[in-house]
Amino acid sequence: MTRPTVLICAGHDPSGGAGIQADIEAVAALGGHATTVITTLTDQDTSDVHATLTVDDTFFTRAVGTLCADMPPTAIKTGVLASVAQIERVCAIKHAHPDAPLVVDPVLAAAGGGRLADDSIGYALVRRLMPAADLVTPNLLEARRLTDADAGAETCAHELAKLGTSALVTGGDTDDAVSVLVTPAGDVTHFHHEQLAGGPFHGSGCTLASAIATQLAHGQPLNAAVESAAAYVHACLARADCPGHGQPLPERIQSC
Ligand code: PLP
């Protein structure tokens, strides 16, 4: 049987903790095949992003077209999108492959605080990409920036779901690690996880979004996909190690 293809459009993190490498490892560990088009290169270590270099729009557009003509995606996952043209290209791919669930991880900044997207990207994500998405997976800080509100996770998720996508807002203000999922119909599900010491973990958001995209590509319904992906991420974080001087990196290769 052929593995489902998960198209990833995301940035490269040379530390191997986040970005496209995190995505490839998560997709592979869960039995999918990752096809990858890089949006931006970063100068980065396990502490922070120090500089970025956006991939040329014409080249990005062309590479996505070449790939999808050969290997149509079963699911699509985005991480850092570094230009409005890249966002428009992903919208076009979703339009051409409407049955492929689109999972948007709206990466705006690294855990160390380094910016990975400016306000024009945030605006295009909200106005253009999120209405085409099946699921968006911001953490609470990203959700607040995207909704321009100083609200809690559930309120932010409701705001994002008004765009027509399901919204999973991860993390919260309490000690308990809770993620809240709100669908466009207004259905709410809370996912409770054990809070692991030693965080923040570099690449945990990328790992979660890619794991969900892979489970959706396997045909799992949304809530089951989130639940099984969260269990996988928890196992990756529980065995995280610290090969650098900054944040711990999830160990994604052994599936649970
Ligand atoms: N994508 C890239 C290329 C990154 O460099 C980073 C963070 O440093 C992220 C995504 C976000 O990582 P996380 O999953 O920790 O939010």
Side-chain angles (χ1 to χ4, degrees), residues 155-173:
T155 304
C156 290
H158 276 288
E159 277 306 303
L160 293 169
K162 285 182 190 162
L163 297 167
T165 175
S166 291
L168 178 71
V169 178
T170 60
D173 291 327

Side-chain angles (χ1 to χ4, degrees), residues 167-193:
L168 178 71
V169 178
T170 60
D173 291 327
T174 61
D175 286 343
D176 191 17
V178 183
S179 301
V180 58
L181 175 68
V182 177
T183 69
D187 297 324
V188 180
T189 312
H190 291 93
F191 298 88
H192 295 262
H193 332 278

